[in-house]
Amino acid sequence: MNLYYLQIINMIGINAIMAVSLNLIIGHTGQFSLGHAGFMAIGAYGSAAFTVYQKAFFLKLFSGLPPSLAESLLFLVALIFGGTLASLGGLLVGIPTLRLRGDYLAIATLGLGEIIRVLVLNLDFVGGARGFTDIPEYTNFFWIYLILTIVVVMMTRLVHSAKGKAFLAIREDEIAASSIGIDAFQYKIIAFVVGAFWAGIGGGLFAHLNTYLHTNSFSFLKSIEFIGMVVLGGMGSVTGSILAASLLTLLPEVLRVASEWRMIIYALLLIVFMILRPQGLLGKREFKWLLPKHPKGKNG
Amino acid sequence: MAELLRSEHCGIQFGGLRALHDISIRIAAGELLGMIGPNGAGKTTFFNLLTGVYRATSGVIFFDEHGLEKLKTFQISHLGMARTFQNIRLFADLTVVDNVLVAFHYQMKSSLGASVVRGEKWRAEEISWHDTARELLQFFGLWERRHELAKNLPYGDQRRLEIVRALATRPKLLLLDEPAAGMNPTEKNQLIGLIRMVHQKFQLAILLIEHDMSVVMSLCPRIIVLDYGEIIAEGTPQEIRNNPKVIEAYLGTAPVNYVTSN
Ligand SMILES: Nc1ncnc2c1ncn2[C@@H]1O[C@H](COP(=O)(O)OP(=O)(O)OP(=O)(O)O)[C@@H](O)[C@H]1O
Ligand SMILES: [Mg+2]
């Protein structure tokens, strides 16, 4: 396949992972986070540092295996490492901020994203202001779409279960949710940590697709782009997030013909979309056939 | 009868406003207690104190022998207190059945992780909670509407669903905040029957806030009257009806026989 198209398809997958994981935080749990690009950055730099600095060690440790397999293992561990770092970041920001009301939370998470960026800029072993170069190219179509599938199955199973409905209840009405015995704070933390974990994995995939990282890729505008995907898809709709991530990744490419008018048309199209369908493309609905079934089926 | 709830000299202050002052109340297990009082008397505020939404600035509350002063709303629910809200607070964009299912939360054994892995045990438990939800909803005549979004229900059904959701937590004490508000006389009569039935079938205590005298008087053997944040009377419907302080609180200086003849 043409490399340009493959690159777009890969970016669609990564953006879909980002949107679906953010959807757990914003769409399902109703917590407005502006820090998703920050979590992505943690995962990207964390996993890239892991593969770059632990490669020799890994290849020696698994010298009995074929090198390609050993490298796949290295990549897998690096992804999980990056995801875990990101979820720790989520925990760290979440604990003090998730008790805050919505608008404060947004500002606090915005601050976090910027702090991470500045921090990375000053870390020399990940390239600092020059950018992080020579990251091995491990990410491919297979990895991206395998992980996207796992995320989608996990997120939908989570909220389509009696216990997981707690996330939705908190979004709908936190006081009422507390009144029936739901620890809203705990669930918000879980949403943050799980969402950040997959954002970190998304970052790891991005790092090993691009082979080069610069903090500019993770500015708060990036967070806003992810929020745009969740909102455009319909808050709380997993398949909607995927659809919107695809559209918003494709659109700038399609609009390349418009050259300097590109971003203006992009913005106008978004505005028109939201006027015509304020509830998002799918609202709160799903493409059901794409998702795992619940044991009670339709009679539940 | 065993004591279920006791508040001792409870008060709360909002800035300069003394919303509640020196409230001492006892509720026995299984009792049906009414609470009335003019607008702004502090009735809803009292519910918010009991459920931990607000903190008392003075006094203590015991529920089932637990002091509530340090507990959060969700922990108080775990002890067996459930409530409805004066302005309905359903999970508007969830279906009727989901509004009930989510209220089993504390009673569920499976972890959140189990709902991702979905083993046999999880499956069995999930199905059994769906069955429990169906029984409840059938009992309250809402099963046919199970797939509708809560926000699309008619007003009376929303009020009922809120009661069902509260009952799903298996409370020992149910707090109802003006369940008859906005209902016509027929609906009010049905509601009286419903509350009576709930009280018997679920073997719980009920504290009922209600503006509609006919509803409280016909349901509650004992009634407490609040005015300007204080208890001004307590007694049987008969005693309350004839209490001059109550009549004054409700009608200012209007003639006494206007109320007593009712
Ligand atoms: N969070 C708050 N901040 C400030 N004042 C409050 C707050 N909550 C209640 N109040 C005040 O406390 C007083 C009691 O209010 P409350 O809602 O408890 O009355 P109520 O008896 O339930 O009245 P109604 O019959 O109208 O529902 C009112 O003066 C109200 O304005
Ligand atoms: Mg009130």
Side-chain angles (χ1 to χ4, degrees):
Chain A
M1 201 189 324
N2 182 318
L3 267 181
Y4 170 67
Y5 290 118
L6 184 62
Q7 186 73 2
I8 293 174
I9 290 171
N10 284 339
M11 272 323 290
I12 286 179
I14 291 177
N15 283 336
I17 292 169
M18 296 305 298
V20 172
S21 58
L22 182 60
N23 183 50
L24 175 67
I25 299 173
I26 296 188
H28 288 138
T29 320
Q31 303 304 306
F32 202 77
S33 163
L34 276 167
H36 222 53
F39 297 138
M40 187 184 191
I42 299 181
Y45 279 93
S47 64
F50 194 93
T51 46
V52 168
Y53 294 108
Q54 299 299 323
K55 188 172 179 179
F57 170 75
F58 243 77
L59 291 183
K60 215 174 100 196
L61 188 68
F62 294 103
S63 52
L65 296 175
S68 69
L69 192 60
E71 285 189 68
S72 295
L73 261 174
L74 167 69
F75 185 39
L76 181 66
V77 175
L79 284 177
I80 295 172
F81 176 73
T84 309
L85 275 188
S87 64
L88 281 178
L91 194 65
L92 236 63
V93 221
I95 288 175
T97 55
L98 283 173
R99 293 186 199 275
L100 304 178
R101 240 189 30 228
D103 27 2
Y104 295 110
L105 176 66
I107 292 166
T109 51
L110 173 69
L112 159 91
E114 292 306 293
I115 288 171
I116 290 170
R117 249 161 48 79
V118 174
L119 221 75
V120 169
L121 271 178
N122 289 294
L123 290 180
D124 221 36
F125 75 99
V126 290
R130 280 168 289 124
F132 197 177
T133 51
D134 297 327
I135 303 166
E137 189 178 356
Y138 287 151
T139 303
N140 55 32
F141 179 87
F142 165 78
W143 277 102
I144 293 174
Y145 282 85
L146 176 73
I147 288 172
L148 177 61
T149 311
I150 294 172
V151 181
V152 169
V153 169
M154 174 174 174
M155 294 301 180
T156 44
R157 284 187 165 191
L158 210 52
V159 297
H160 289 281
S161 68
K163 195 121 204 182
K165 295 261 154 69
F167 291 110
L168 310 177
I170 291 163
R171 171 192 74 197
E172 295 294 309
D173 191 323
E174 195 174 325
I175 290 183
S178 309
S179 85
I180 55 168
I182 293 169
D183 183 352
F185 181 65
Q186 183 195 0
Y187 273 82
K188 287 193 241 172
I189 290 280
I190 293 173
F192 238 64
V193 168
V194 173
F197 177 82
W198 290 111
I201 300 262
L205 290 170
F206 177 74
H208 295 84
L209 182 70
N210 255 10
T211 69
Y212 169 76
L213 287 177
H214 194 277
T215 51
N216 286 350
S217 315
F218 306 103
S219 71
F220 91 98
L221 283 174
K222 196 77 188 176
S223 291
I224 293 191
E225 208 177 297
F226 295 140
I227 290 173
M229 293 171 188
V230 173
V231 174
L232 179 67
M235 300 272 247
S237 171
V238 172
T239 43
S241 290
I242 299 175
L243 186 65
S246 315
L247 273 178
L248 292 189
T249 314
L250 274 176
L251 204 57
E253 300 301 327
V254 174
L255 290 177
R256 265 180 206 284
V257 289
S259 59
E260 62 262 42
W261 292 91
R262 184 164 78 131
M263 288 327 280
I264 295 174
I265 299 176
Y266 177 89
L268 281 177
L269 278 176
L270 264 189
I271 293 170
V272 171
F273 255 135
M274 291 322 289
I275 291 173
L276 294 180
R277 272 194 81 77
Q279 73 277 45
L281 292 170
L282 293 193
K284 286 196 170 68
R285 280 162 304 164
E286 301 280 5
F287 287 125
K288 292 252 169 51
W289 47 270
L290 267 172
L291 300 174
K293 299 270 179 299
H294 190 276
K296 279 307 278 189
K298 270 199 113 34
N299 289 320
Chain B
M1 251 189 292
E3 178 185 279
L4 183 62
L5 181 119
R6 178 172 89 244
S7 77
E8 289 173 359
H9 312 294
C10 275
I12 185 170
Q13 194 103 16
F14 294 113
L17 177 80
R18 198 174 70 176
L20 284 175
H21 176 66
D22 198 22
I23 305 292
S24 297
I25 283 178
R26 279 156 195 272
I27 302 176
E31 187 179 358
L32 213 170
L33 176 65
M35 179 176 268
I36 61 174
N39 289 111
K43 307 179 294 295
T44 300
T45 304
F46 186 59
F47 272 19
N48 286 332
L49 278 192
L50 293 182
T51 53
V53 176
Y54 298 152
R55 293 278 160 217
T57 40
S58 59
V60 283
I61 304 168
F62 290 93
F63 179 66
D64 213 15
E65 309 193 339
H66 299 267
L68 300 187
E69 60 274 7
K70 292 218 173 63
L71 297 185
K72 302 209 168 74
T73 303
F74 75 93
Q75 293 165 321
I76 293 174
S77 154
H78 297 173
L79 293 178
M81 200 190 299
R83 73 178 290 188
T84 65
F85 296 86
Q86 184 168 355
N87 311 307
I88 302 176
R89 281 174 173 263
L90 285 168
F91 305 125
D93 272 318
L94 299 192
T95 61
V96 168
V97 67
D98 283 352
N99 267 272
V100 179
L101 273 176
V102 73
F104 297 135
H105 193 267
Y106 180 61
Q107 302 161 67
M108 286 177 202
K109 292 196 184 67
S110 303
S111 68
L112 204 54
S115 43
V116 175
V117 182
R118 303 207 159 174
E120 271 315 304
K121 248 197 188 145
W122 173 85
R123 201 167 292 268
E125 199 192 356
E126 193 84 358
I127 289 171
S128 105
W129 284 119
H130 271 87
D131 290 342
T132 314
R134 183 180 35 146
E135 276 166 32
L136 266 173
L137 285 169
Q138 277 172 342
F139 186 78
F140 288 91
L142 287 167
W143 178 243
E144 302 308 315
R145 294 183 177 271
R146 64 189 174 280
H147 293 310
E148 286 181 41
L149 296 185
K151 66 178 176 192
N152 294 337
L153 290 185
Y155 181 78
D157 284 351
Q158 291 196 11
R159 283 250 173 241
R160 249 184 316 153
L161 180 57
E162 222 192 6
I163 296 178
V164 181
R165 183 182 69 184
L167 287 172
T169 65
R170 294 175 139 268
K172 297 179 186 124
L173 173 64
L174 176 62
L175 310 173
L176 299 173
D177 197 345
E178 297 196 27
M183 289 187 170
N184 63 36
T186 326
E187 288 171 324
K188 276 182 188 165
N189 276 329
Q190 286 173 352
L191 183 78
I192 292 175
L194 183 90
I195 294 177
R196 202 167 269 146
M197 186 187 66
V198 164
H199 184 231
Q200 278 157 16
K201 181 179 155 75
F202 293 87
Q203 306 267 314
L204 37 65
I206 295 179
L207 175 56
L208 171 70
I209 294 180
E210 190 45 70
H211 267 303
D212 190 292
M213 288 302 168
S214 63
V215 175
V216 208
M217 298 274 170
S218 64
L219 276 171
C220 306
R222 187 163 74 100
I223 295 168
I224 286 174
V225 189
L226 287 186
D227 192 23
Y228 290 110
E230 295 189 46
I231 297 177
I232 58 165
E234 181 178 345
T236 64
Q238 189 62 32
E239 288 162 355
I240 295 299
R241 243 193 294 261
N242 298 319
N243 186 315
K245 272 190 181 167
V246 177
I247 294 161
E248 199 190 310
Y250 268 89
L251 297 169
T253 50
V256 171
N257 62 3
Y258 177 80
V259 178
T260 45
S261 65
N262 188 350

